[in-house]
Amino acid sequence: MIKPLIFLSIIMLVSISLAACSTNQALQASEPEPKSVGETNENEHDQSFVRTIDGLVPLGDVPIPEDNPMTAEVLELGQMLFFDPRLSGNDQVSCATCHDPELGYGDGRATFETYTGEDGPRNSQTIINSAYYTSFFWDGRAATLEEQALGPIQDPHEMNLPLDELIEKLKGIEGYEALFLAAFEDGITEENVGKALAAFQRQIVVKDTRYDQFLQGDKEALNSQEIRGLELFSGDAFCITCHNGENLSDNEFYNIGLNSDDEGRYAVTGDEDDLGRFRTPSLYGITHTAPYMHNGSIETLEEVIEFYNRGGDGHPNTSIFMNMFMSNINLTEEEKADLLAFLKVLGGEPPIFTEPDLPGSE
């Protein structure tokens, strides 16, 4: 007997797929009548066009926890900590090592380089728009951005510095005590390190792309090819099934059929259904964050489209929606080009933060 939860999931996925297909029809139906000679706005759509795209909304303001306001003092401290290699055991690795602003806040590698110089198990996921997630890391093992910020510091494969040693180290660096006290009443603590780093990361946002402008009613924001790509994204290509909501991520976990030995979400939950599942990443900033997937195994957006077009690579625990509706999408070459054109709109321009003068440095 199928478990009730699985049955409900199937019903929901079927509903989403039907909604995606009807969305595509609604988009096409809302196309304006051909214009007479002299009228040049070939992409004009009325406001009803924008409202028909269920599940897609412009990116809103960054959620900020009440206990961690983004004051100037906290942000200044967070930026210093983010770029300071002394947060590692060997004084060589900073947060920016794997999250380089010039590399889309990733590292440009398939998988990160470990503390000992070997290839790590996973891709350094960009922190662009990470403030909008409801769980963190590829497998969702952290519940808050503050918790996530402390994880790599103490991980022996990443920065390799126990948090108690970090606190003593920071207390011994001239200038940090005053900076912490300016930002937090209780000064240098593990919690405040996490808060400062999380607050800094909440500034790393790509928003107000031409896609957002289009959803807000700017009829000129997308050209005709990009609009066709959006129609595919919202319909026949099924992208919207997982990449929906204001951050283009449903914050859920899926096995997309990528051949990999990584246990994914299973390592967190122990549930066999979660084997090989990973959280849906946002698509904002996507043109800056190659290579793609949790193991960095796909180098270009063109290859990402090909991967989904063929329905993945047959992982035995591939999520049910992939098997039911995306086993073979069969996009034409023109459709692939249209979808790619739309995805490139989502790249936007990430804010670039540079390394400040660090406390105690000569």
Side-chain angles (χ1 to χ4, degrees):
M1 179 179 294
I2 299 177
K3 293 187 292 186
L5 182 59
I6 296 178
F7 179 75
L8 288 174
S9 298
I10 294 174
I11 296 298
M12 291 176 65
L13 289 170
V14 171
S15 299
I16 291 172
S17 69
L18 292 175
C21 294
S22 64
T23 296
N24 190 41
Q25 295 171 352
L27 292 174
Q28 295 173 350
S30 64
E31 291 284 353
E33 293 296 323
K35 292 182 177 292
S36 58
V37 176
E39 293 181 290
T40 59
N41 183 10
E42 66 174 354
N43 299 329
E44 184 176 330
H45 288 58
D46 60 23
Q47 292 298 321
S48 64
F49 171 76
V50 176
R51 290 194 293 269
T52 60
I53 312 176
D54 295 333
L56 299 183
V57 294
L59 194 63
D61 294 333
V62 169
I64 303 173
E66 292 184 5
D67 65 344
N68 192 19
M70 294 172 63
T71 65
E73 294 80 8
V74 171
L75 294 177
E76 178 186 19
L77 174 60
Q79 186 170 352
M80 290 181 178
L81 292 171
F82 185 84
F83 285 97
D84 198 334
R86 293 170 294 185
L87 268 66
S88 65
N90 61 4
D91 294 345
Q92 300 296 315
V93 184
S94 70
C95 301
T97 300
C98 290
H99 302 289
D100 187 337
E102 300 293 338
L103 296 173
Y105 290 92
D107 58 12
R109 294 170 49 92
T111 60
F112 72 90
E113 182 178 350
T114 69
Y115 186 80
T116 55
E118 301 168 342
D119 290 335
R122 291 180 182 168
N123 177 261
S124 292
Q125 191 171 31
T126 178
I127 56 177
I128 293 173
N129 287 24
S130 59
Y132 293 90
Y133 289 127
T134 57
S135 64
F136 301 86
F137 297 111
W138 281 104
D139 54 19
R141 64 185 182 274
T144 67
L145 195 53
E146 284 76 6
E147 180 184 351
Q148 177 277 326
L150 294 175
I153 297 174
Q154 56 193 314
D155 190 316
H157 299 295
E158 297 186 54
M159 298 170 75
N160 193 34
L161 184 60
L163 295 181
D164 57 345
E165 294 182 22
L166 168 65
I167 299 308
E168 292 306 310
K169 193 174 187 178
L170 290 174
K171 288 180 178 179
I173 298 174
E174 183 179 357
Y176 262 129
E177 185 73 49
L179 287 165
F180 269 89
L181 286 172
F184 305 103
E185 291 183 358
D186 50 349
I188 301 177
T189 67
E190 294 178 12
E191 181 181 13
N192 291 341
V193 170
K195 283 185 173 182
L197 284 170
F200 171 73
Q201 291 180 73
R202 290 191 174 100
Q203 299 176 103
I204 303 170
V205 172
V206 168
K207 63 185 305 184
D208 195 30
T209 66
R210 290 191 292 113
Y211 156 75
D212 293 275
Q213 295 165 16
F214 183 77
L215 291 186
Q216 290 167 336
D218 182 350
K219 304 168 187 178
E220 302 288 338
L222 300 180
N223 64 35
S224 57
Q225 183 182 36
E226 292 160 351
I227 290 173
R228 292 196 303 270
L230 173 56
E231 292 174 354
L232 288 164
F233 183 94
S234 306
D236 291 346
F238 291 102
C239 311
I240 195 175
T241 306
C242 303
H243 294 287
N244 56 62
E246 65 174 0
N247 196 33
L248 296 175
S249 168
D250 62 2
N251 289 292
E252 298 295 339
F253 299 84
Y254 301 96
N255 185 319
I256 60 172
L258 191 70
N259 284 329
S260 167
D261 294 329
D262 194 321
E263 293 182 341
R265 182 71 172 161
Y266 171 79
V268 178
T269 66
D271 185 341
E272 291 187 1
D273 289 341
D274 285 334
L275 186 64
R277 292 188 177 220
F278 298 89
R279 192 202 57 223
T280 305
S282 169
L283 299 182
Y284 278 97
I286 193 170
T287 57
H288 304 276
T289 59
Y292 304 99
M293 306 303 180
H294 71 272
N295 59 0
S297 60
I298 300 183
E299 295 185 0
T300 68
L301 287 175
E302 289 87 346
E303 291 175 274
V304 171
I305 292 173
E306 289 291 347
F307 172 84
Y308 283 108
N309 197 45
R310 65 175 180 265
D313 289 335
H315 189 286
N317 199 44
T318 299
S319 292
I320 189 170
F321 187 88
M322 287 283 294
N323 283 327
M324 290 178 64
F325 300 105
M326 300 179 70
S327 60
N328 200 351
I329 299 176
N330 284 324
L331 298 179
T332 66
E333 292 304 313
E334 181 180 1
E335 287 173 330
K336 294 175 190 176
D338 292 344
L339 182 57
L340 177 65
F342 170 68
L343 291 177
K344 287 183 175 180
V345 173
L346 302 175
E349 293 299 329
I352 300 297
F353 291 90
T354 57
E355 181 175 333
D357 293 331
L358 299 177
S361 58
E362 298 180 359

